[in-house]
Amino acid sequence: MTRRKLNRDKAMKEKTPPANRPVNLKILGEYLDLSPATISLVLNNAPGVKSIPQDTRDRVIAAAKKFDYRPSFYARSLRGRRSFSIGVLVPELSDGYSAHVMDGIEQVLIEEGYFYLTASHRRKADLIEEYPRMLQDRSVEGFIVIDTLLEQAPPMPTVAVAGHRKLPGVTNITLDHRRAAELSLKHLYQLGHRRIAFMRGRASSSDSADRWKSLMAVAKELGLEVLPELTMQVEGIVSTPELGFPITHELLRRTRDFTAIVAFNDLAAIGAIRALREHGLAVPEDVSVVGFDDFEHAAYHSPSLTTIRQPLHKMGDMAARILLGHIRGQDGFENEVAIVPELVIRESTAPPPARRKKR
Amino acid sequence: MTRRKLNRDKAMKEKTPPANRPVNLKILGEYLDLSPATISLVLNNAPGVKSIPQDTRDRVIAAAKKFDYRPSFYARSLRGRRSFSIGVLVPELSDGYSAHVMDGIEQVLIEEGYFYLTASHRRKADLIEEYPRMLQDRSVEGFIVIDTLLEQAPPMPTVAVAGHRKLPGVTNITLDHRRAAELSLKHLYQLGHRRIAFMRGRASSSDSADRWKSLMAVAKELGLEVLPELTMQVEGIVSTPELGFPITHELLRRTRDFTAIVAFNDLAAIGAIRALREHGLAVPEDVSVVGFDDFEHAAYHSPSLTTIRQPLHKMGDMAARILLGHIRGQDGFENEVAIVPELVIRESTAPPPARRKKR
DNA sequence: TGATTGTGCTTAATCGTTTTTTCAGAAGGC
DNA sequence: GCCTTCTGAAAAAACGATTAAGCACAATCA
């Protein structure tokens, strides 16, 4: 009987009570009378495992199962310089936009063995600076930033969803705003609308500028005038219909000489409809309203909203896939990925009053 | 000139180019001609730092700043057996409930130097089992589970938001459903409603049972009958107003002999209002509807919703504070923390038709 | 002079893995 | 009988930080 055999028997008898601390390779090694290295090799099916006979492997695997061995994530990360975590930077979790994108992100990440840390900056410039650093300190391997204007690209793979600023090394996933503008304006145009009021997004929302430019361009092509007196500026940072309420109120106090509103988003559209109603105007009979986003409630508002659907879940999905691609150094780098929007026609748009009468 | 002085000068001259890898204590130590231990002591202001003269400390701090030294989170976690992370388990990020609670959670956690990992189980039993394990493997120090029925308490500090099941070691943060039921039923009762239809939540939503019991109890006290033929069962797992639409449709096909609906939540209330309208019934003129939650859109729906407000943000805030308390072993354990709801009266409730005519 | 007390650090162990290198003993080849 | 080749592992060196213990030297004290 060799010394080793003796030791093994002893170990078998002692049975290593589950201890207070979680079982690790060393404990497992003592129990099996093997070195931690061997166990690691077996459990990871590493190349060097070839020289280890099947019955040893079985013993190892059985013991790991028996003691419910779970490798220490931190030890592993430290050694392998990987964290399998990414950072997600959002304006606000509860704004209804981010959560949908994150839903898409999450599904992809979990499948690939990644988790993510979230930080919401509430559109405060100092936090937009600080949080990426904090997440870097947590060793994230990459970033996804949602609807956020970064000043600087973080020094690691980064994908921006709806971040229009072009930063070196950052892939932007954005809606094809040109196409979106065409969808909403042509829809109104074909219904017969010619005097259209617009909402211009706030500067801190990264989508705003692009969307506005596209609307201008398409309006011009259609021969529609975008009149300053029919242009509303979205203000404040609320994520309730309040977004569109006061400015539409204000517009109506000035003039009623328009037959349609292109709202900044669905929330603003709902606020606008409220304001119109309070001024005795019916939607869509007197004024048509087009939204943007197609969030859940769009279909259930009354009237239900005609809107431009943004496939947020899919954008999150793509963001995650592209980011993982960058992290793994797989595919080539793309600076811009365009997502195709879709027009969803519901009740809030109809031909303008004049045209209706003609019929 | 001592040997050390010489070395230091040499180090000064060499200037250690920022290398490809992030700077660590060893590199910093070579640059400063100090041991990693000393630097760690100084930077952490550890007890042993007392014996280190101010000018050495200054040198260390200056160098750390110069090279933008950031301690490896994983090394630290490994050594200190702390992860400063918690796991958050939610049914779905985008359901509008979780995100609000998480908003509250996040603010507290970040302030305290914690981050969180999120996993959404989409109400699938296998994922509800699997995700906590995955998060444990990531060494989270505790859990917050939102609107989720756990089968087993995880072996670490756990706080449940709206999880009515009583598990040993788990603190439940729940709405005072009794109070909520009183608020909504008394409101309807005082308006004159006597025949009231109810929606019963789906079994997988952890709030359902409690809410139902409380409604029954209060109804009884008020002498209101809860008729089986006026009881709707919420089905499906959608988080759109679709929740309340088909069942209200179905109810109306059977009977119109009721003057009010207590909806399961605001979404279901909106669906119900849609259905009522399609059947030619006006809200609140013919039927009053009370919601639950007071989500953003409640105020902007038309009619705006009378509802029971759940302070979700605050619940998240409390969940995080209580969890951190448990983790730090501070305060005593409480099995249940009740949150007080609030009645928000808006347009969707009014006296019933009969009573109106009398007036 | 020898012992004590402070300074100002360093050493070494530790956290739990992974991975490369090494090595003992058996088997086979000449 | 000596050299090589397998086989089946162990040993050791990372990864980067923390922290208790130790140590050299100088100053003070008896």
Side-chain angles (χ1 to χ4, degrees):
Chain A
M1 216 185 228
T2 63
R3 197 181 63 80
R4 178 183 294 159
K5 187 65 171 61
L6 265 169
N7 275 351
R8 185 182 298 168
D9 284 356
K10 190 172 146 225
M12 294 286 200
K13 255 174 268 155
E14 284 184 345
K15 262 240 170 130
T16 323
N20 36 359
R21 276 204 255 162
V23 39
N24 55 29
L25 285 184
K26 210 172 106 197
I27 297 180
L28 224 45
E30 278 159 19
Y31 170 77
L32 288 165
D33 194 25
L34 287 172
S35 75
T38 306
I39 301 171
S40 171
L41 251 33
V42 171
L43 293 180
N44 292 306
N45 228 332
V49 87
K50 284 193 296 277
S51 71
I52 292 170
Q54 193 57 47
D55 76 324
T56 303
R57 295 194 213 182
D58 292 345
R59 281 208 308 136
V60 168
I61 289 164
K65 194 164 195 172
K66 175 173 174 186
F67 291 110
D68 191 29
Y69 166 71
R70 339 195 114 226
S72 151
F73 177 71
Y74 290 114
R76 220 177 216 181
S77 291
L78 177 58
R79 167 69 218 221
R81 287 200 200 71
R82 305 283 317 265
S83 68
F84 295 98
S85 313
I86 71 149
V88 177
L89 196 62
V90 302
E92 194 161 15
L93 266 170
S94 52
D95 65 5
Y97 183 101
S98 306
H100 281 271
V101 179
M102 286 172 68
D103 239 356
I105 293 173
E106 194 195 294
Q107 271 183 31
V108 174
L109 289 186
I110 283 204
E111 239 170 57
E112 305 284 332
Y114 275 73
F115 273 94
Y116 61 97
L117 300 168
T118 316
S120 4
H121 54 65
R122 292 153 220 283
R123 304 199 182 280
K124 290 184 190 144
D126 52 331
L127 297 181
I128 296 183
E129 279 236 7
E130 189 184 347
Y131 285 163
R133 291 176 64 87
M134 288 175 68
L135 290 167
Q136 274 174 63
D137 287 353
R138 286 259 174 168
S139 303
V140 296
E141 293 180 24
F143 281 104
I144 296 179
V145 303
I146 302 178
D147 188 23
T148 298
L149 279 179
L150 285 179
E151 286 302 321
Q152 286 190 317
M156 57 178 71
T158 300
V159 173
V161 174
H164 91 295
R165 181 170 293 171
K166 283 179 186 55
L167 288 171
V170 177
T171 298
N172 272 308
I173 296 189
T174 39
L175 206 67
D176 183 340
H177 288 293
R178 166 73 204 201
R179 181 89 189 100
E182 278 175 23
L183 287 172
S184 54
L185 283 186
K186 281 192 179 164
H187 172 60
L188 290 177
Y189 189 90
Q190 282 164 8
L191 285 173
H193 295 276
R194 293 300 179 266
R195 289 189 67 86
I196 301 175
F198 292 88
M199 280 185 199
R200 189 168 185 167
R202 53 178 180 265
S204 64
S205 174
S206 46
D207 261 359
S208 297
D210 279 359
R211 233 144 104 189
W212 187 247
K213 256 186 263 170
S214 302
L215 278 172
M216 293 305 93
V218 174
K220 197 171 176 185
E221 285 174 27
L222 291 174
L224 289 169
E225 271 187 298
V226 177
L227 300 166
E229 64 267 31
L230 291 183
T231 299
M232 301 172 260
Q233 174 67 52
V234 172
E235 269 155 27
I237 56 163
V238 293
S239 45
T240 67
E242 185 63 27
L243 203 60
F245 187 75
I247 53 178
T248 307
H249 233 303
E250 180 55 31
L251 172 70
L252 286 166
R253 203 170 298 148
R254 290 204 308 270
T255 176
R256 292 182 168 216
D257 188 13
F258 59 91
T259 62
I261 295 178
V262 174
F264 181 66
N265 58 20
D266 289 344
L267 277 172
I270 289 178
I273 290 172
R274 269 257 144 163
L276 287 165
R277 195 169 283 157
E278 290 197 1
H279 281 256
L281 294 171
V283 177
E285 292 77 7
D286 299 315
V287 177
S288 287
V289 176
V290 178
F292 197 95
D293 279 350
D294 192 31
F295 72 160
E296 276 105 343
H297 315 291
Y300 284 84
H301 189 259
S302 53
S304 59
L305 295 182
T306 294
T307 188
I308 304 294
R309 175 179 297 162
Q310 259 196 106
L312 298 179
H313 193 278
K314 187 176 175 194
M315 288 161 79
D317 180 294
M318 292 193 62
R321 283 183 207 287
I322 291 173
L323 182 65
L324 290 180
H326 288 180
I327 289 174
R328 293 168 177 157
Q330 289 172 348
D331 23 358
F333 178 80
E334 282 182 284
N335 206 80
E336 192 104 23
V337 175
I339 301 283
V340 180
E342 190 186 337
L343 174 67
V344 184
I345 301 176
R346 295 206 187 87
E347 299 169 355
S348 68
T349 50
R355 179 114 159 202
R356 294 178 134 232
K357 277 175 201 154
K358 276 188 205 156
R359 280 187 178 173
Chain B
M1 216 185 229
T2 65
R3 196 182 64 79
R4 178 182 294 160
K5 188 65 171 59
L6 264 170
N7 275 351
R8 184 183 298 169
D9 284 356
K10 191 172 144 223
M12 293 289 199
K13 256 175 267 156
E14 285 183 344
K15 258 232 166 140
T16 321
N20 35 359
R21 275 205 256 161
V23 40
N24 54 30
L25 286 184
K26 209 173 106 197
I27 297 180
L28 224 46
E30 277 159 21
Y31 170 78
L32 288 165
D33 193 26
L34 286 172
S35 75
T38 307
I39 301 170
S40 171
L41 253 34
V42 171
L43 294 181
N44 293 305
N45 228 332
V49 85
K50 286 193 293 275
S51 70
I52 292 170
Q54 193 57 46
D55 76 325
T56 302
R57 295 194 211 183
D58 292 345
R59 280 206 310 133
V60 168
I61 289 163
K65 194 165 196 172
K66 175 173 174 188
F67 292 111
D68 192 28
Y69 166 71
R70 339 194 114 225
S72 152
F73 177 70
Y74 291 115
R76 219 176 216 183
S77 292
L78 178 58
R79 167 69 219 223
R81 288 201 198 70
R82 305 284 317 265
S83 68
F84 295 99
S85 314
I86 71 148
V88 177
L89 195 63
V90 302
E92 195 161 15
L93 265 170
S94 51
D95 65 5
Y97 183 102
S98 306
H100 281 271
V101 180
M102 286 171 67
D103 238 355
I105 293 173
E106 193 195 296
Q107 273 184 31
V108 174
L109 289 186
I110 283 204
E111 238 171 59
E112 306 284 332
Y114 275 73
F115 273 94
Y116 61 98
L117 299 168
T118 316
S120 2
H121 54 66
R122 291 152 220 286
R123 303 198 183 280
K124 290 184 190 145
D126 53 331
L127 297 181
I128 296 182
E129 278 236 6
E130 190 184 346
Y131 285 163
R133 290 176 65 86
M134 290 175 67
L135 290 166
Q136 274 174 63
D137 287 352
R138 288 262 175 166
S139 305
V140 296
E141 293 180 24
F143 280 104
I144 295 179
V145 303
I146 302 178
D147 189 23
T148 297
L149 279 181
L150 285 179
E151 286 302 320
Q152 288 189 316
M156 57 179 71
T158 301
V159 174
V161 175
H164 89 296
R165 182 169 293 170
K166 283 180 185 56
L167 287 171
V170 176
T171 297
N172 272 308
I173 296 189
T174 39
L175 206 67
D176 183 340
H177 287 293
R178 166 74 203 201
R179 182 88 189 100
E182 279 174 20
L183 286 173
S184 53
L185 283 186
K186 282 192 178 162
H187 171 60
L188 289 177
Y189 189 90
Q190 283 164 8
L191 285 173
H193 295 276
R194 291 301 178 268
R195 289 188 68 84
I196 300 175
F198 291 89
M199 279 185 200
R200 189 168 183 167
R202 53 176 180 267
S204 64
S205 174
S206 45
D207 261 359
S208 297
D210 279 359
R211 232 144 104 188
W212 187 248
K213 256 185 266 170
S214 302
L215 278 173
M216 293 306 94
V218 174
K220 196 170 176 184
E221 286 174 27
L222 291 175
L224 289 169
E225 270 186 297
V226 178
L227 302 167
E229 65 267 30
L230 290 182
T231 300
M232 298 172 262
Q233 174 66 51
V234 172
E235 267 154 29
I237 56 162
V238 293
S239 46
T240 67
E242 184 63 28
L243 205 58
F245 187 75
I247 52 178
T248 307
H249 232 301
E250 181 53 34
L251 172 69
L252 287 165
R253 204 171 297 148
R254 291 204 306 271
T255 177
R256 292 182 168 217
D257 188 13
F258 59 91
T259 62
I261 296 178
V262 175
F264 181 66
N265 59 19
D266 290 345
L267 276 172
I270 289 178
I273 291 172
R274 269 255 144 165
L276 288 164
R277 196 170 283 156
E278 289 196 3
H279 281 255
L281 293 171
V283 177
E285 291 78 6
D286 299 314
V287 176
S288 287
V289 176
V290 178
F292 197 95
D293 279 350
D294 192 30
F295 73 160
E296 275 105 341
H297 316 291
Y300 283 84
H301 188 261
S302 53
S304 59
L305 297 180
T306 293
T307 189
I308 304 295
R309 174 178 296 162
Q310 259 197 104
L312 298 178
H313 193 278
K314 186 175 177 195
M315 287 161 80
D317 179 294
M318 291 192 63
R321 284 184 206 286
I322 291 173
L323 181 65
L324 290 179
H326 289 180
I327 289 174
R328 293 167 177 157
Q330 289 172 347
D331 21 358
F333 177 80
E334 280 183 284
N335 205 80
E336 191 105 22
V337 175
I339 302 283
V340 180
E342 191 186 335
L343 173 67
V344 184
I345 300 177
R346 296 208 187 86
E347 300 167 355
S348 67
T349 49
R355 178 112 160 205
R356 294 177 133 230
K357 279 174 202 155
K358 278 188 206 154
R359 278 188 180 172

